[in-house]
Amino acid sequence: MNKKWLLSLIMAAFVMFLAACNSDEESAEGDSEGKGEEKQQQEEGEGEQPEMPEPDLENVPDVVAEVNDEEINKEEFESAYEGSFQQMAMQSQMSGQELDQDQLKKQTAESLVGQELLTQKAEDEGYEASQEDIDKTLEELAQQNQMESKDEFLAALEEQGMGEDEVMSQVETQVKVDQLIASEAGDTEPSEEELEEAYAQMEAQQEQMGEEGGEMPSYEDAKPDLEEQVKTQKEQEATQKLVENLREDADVTVHL
């Protein structure tokens, strides 16, 4: 098997989330500056898009990190890094800002450490994944990758060299981690006040984008998306807090 493709699919979102959480203030400042530069380039008719960069995977050690005596190996790291790299490289090309691969490598390693800590915690707590939960997760992954069914998704993974048993094992682990996060997050139902605040933020973003942002939906039309957005944010905050707490008591060594 060459690449753990499923791991990269699962980890890409996790890497992006932790990267954003670890640099909220820096990201906000960078986004503001980036939007200003992008707007200026558009107004001046300048700013050619740079060529799509290639992932730099030289000098990655065989063991990238150790987490409570569990190793995160080079293959796992490269698979996760390539998944997140593709997303970040596209964003970099669109914004015209250079992608800092050294920083992304560190974020990827830290995210893998976080995922391992969550996996160990879920196992210690005795969470179990039913076949129904596993099938549901596979269906969601299939939809995310524009495939009609989990069977088509499994077939695509098999073409990548990943057998069904391994897929099921990884999805089972992810389901347990999801259960752990749901337990930590508690009630994530948003209040009306939280939804109104999220809508106000949407309006502010729309104003910044001007005509390019399109027509602003009404509050009632936007409400379902706002509810999902607020729920996701609460889950992310709970995940970040849990990882930070687990990291404090863990024996972690990163070799990058």
Side-chain angles (χ1 to χ4, degrees), residues 3 36 66 74 78 89-90 95 123 181 196 205 218:
K3 298 294 179 186
E66 295 160 328
K74 180 178 181 178
E78 289 183 345
M90 285 189 289
S95 67
E123 293 290 347
I181 292 172
E196 290 173 355
Q205 292 174 353
S218 68

Side-chain angles (χ1 to χ4, degrees), residues 47-93:
E48 294 182 1
Q49 287 188 345
E51 292 184 5
M52 183 73 75
E54 294 291 331
D56 177 13
L57 293 170
E58 292 185 10
N59 303 320
V60 175
D62 291 337
V63 177
V64 173
E66 295 160 328
V67 184
N68 295 327
D69 298 326
E70 290 291 331
E71 293 183 348
I72 296 173
N73 61 37
K74 180 178 181 178
E75 182 184 25
E76 291 176 280
F77 174 84
E78 289 183 345
S79 183
Y81 182 76
E82 288 176 351
S84 56
F85 174 84
Q86 289 176 3
Q87 296 186 37
M88 294 298 291
M90 285 189 289
Q91 290 183 20
S92 174
Q93 189 179 45

Side-chain angles (χ1 to χ4, degrees), residues 34 43 67 106 131 214:
E43 290 175 350
V67 184
K106 292 177 182 178
Q131 188 60 48

Side-chain angles (χ1 to χ4, degrees), residues 203-219:
E203 285 183 315
Q205 292 174 353
Q206 193 86 356
E207 289 177 4
Q208 286 184 347
M209 296 178 68
E211 294 181 0
E212 294 180 3
E215 184 178 351
M216 181 72 185
S218 68
Y219 175 68

